[in-house]
Amino acid sequence: MQVLEPRTALLSNFEVSTLLSELQKEHNDAASPQHSSDNLRFIQTQTLNYLNDTHLPTTRQSELGISNLLAQLQPFPTLTRAEKLMIVNLAPKTIVELYVIVEELEDRLSQEDIDAIISIVHTTLNDPAADAPVLNGTSQNDADQPLFEDDDEEDAKYEMQVAEQEELENADVGEEEGRAIDEVDE
């Protein structure tokens, strides 16, 4: 994995773990010592140790499994890019865990959608047999592409909808407060 343009896409824990593993391998394989800070090496090592701990789903994930998950989450347009990233990183197994990840879950998704997402996560990220063929024509030739493309338009659209909803709610509250004040003045 190679970082072509820094800060152009979000990285999942799996991608960070892979990148740090490759950097560590390159550092260990280098014939001459590289001029890297001891603090930087310490941070890289500790981060890698954390990401490879068995309590995180990162150890059970694969690039193919993540690609399959993202392809299968396409029918859920209300999920933002950040929420999809958190689903990959946390691999929720229960509805309660999904509530923590997806804002206003009940308002945005039906019970069938919620159950489908939990099932998709289970079959693509938690199952060792997740290395099934990739859906929607995504191939392994895209290995150097970030798994999370920049969907600013999608996120902006969702944020506009949330802002409009809040504006409507605030307008309703304002009218009620105005009526209450008028009644007190009389």
Side-chain angles (χ1 to χ4, degrees):
M1 182 182 305
Q2 183 179 23
V3 177
L4 300 176
E5 295 180 35
R7 296 185 186 105
T8 60
L10 300 174
L11 295 176
S12 67
N13 287 349
F14 175 79
E15 291 172 303
V16 172
S17 175
T18 302
L19 180 63
L20 289 176
S21 295
E22 289 174 3
L23 289 174
Q24 189 173 42
K25 185 177 183 218
E26 287 175 11
H27 179 73
N28 292 341
D29 291 345
S32 63
Q34 295 180 349
H35 300 288
S36 63
S37 164
D38 288 336
N39 289 337
L40 177 62
R41 296 293 310 149
F42 176 77
I43 291 169
Q44 287 176 338
T45 303
Q46 291 301 313
T47 303
L48 193 56
N49 288 342
Y50 171 76
L51 292 174
N52 288 330
D53 195 348
T54 56
H55 77 280
L56 287 179
T58 311
T59 57
R60 297 180 304 276
Q61 293 178 350
S62 69
E63 190 169 324
L64 193 54
I66 293 171
S67 295
N68 281 337
L69 172 76
L70 294 175
Q72 291 183 33
L73 289 178
Q74 288 301 320
F76 306 101
T78 59
L79 291 176
T80 65
R81 181 178 42 135
E83 289 167 341
K84 290 176 185 176
L85 175 65
M86 292 304 294
I87 288 172
V88 168
N89 286 343
L90 299 176
K93 297 175 188 159
T94 64
I95 294 173
V96 173
E97 293 172 320
L98 199 56
Y99 267 97
V100 175
I101 297 170
V102 180
E103 184 178 344
E104 300 174 354
L105 180 70
E106 285 181 338
D107 297 336
R108 294 172 45 204
L109 297 167
S110 68
Q111 185 62 42
E112 294 82 24
D113 290 344
I114 293 169
D115 292 338
I117 290 171
I118 296 295
S119 176
I120 290 168
V121 169
H122 177 72
T123 58
T124 57
L125 293 184
N126 295 324
D127 189 359
D131 293 332
V134 178
L135 300 177
N136 293 344
T138 307
S139 67
Q140 282 190 313
N141 295 338
D142 299 332
D144 289 337
Q145 297 297 326
L147 294 173
F148 290 91
E149 305 262 337
D150 197 3
D151 293 337
D152 287 334
E153 288 180 30
E154 180 181 315
D155 289 344
K157 182 178 168 184
Y158 171 71
E159 289 175 11
M160 289 273 293
Q161 290 172 343
V162 169
E164 288 173 2
Q165 182 66 28
E166 287 176 358
E167 187 176 306
L168 288 173
E169 290 171 2
N170 291 339
D172 292 342
V173 170
E175 290 174 15
E176 290 174 14
E177 286 176 347
R179 278 190 231 122
I181 291 171
D182 289 342
E183 290 173 6
V184 170
D185 289 341
E186 295 175 3

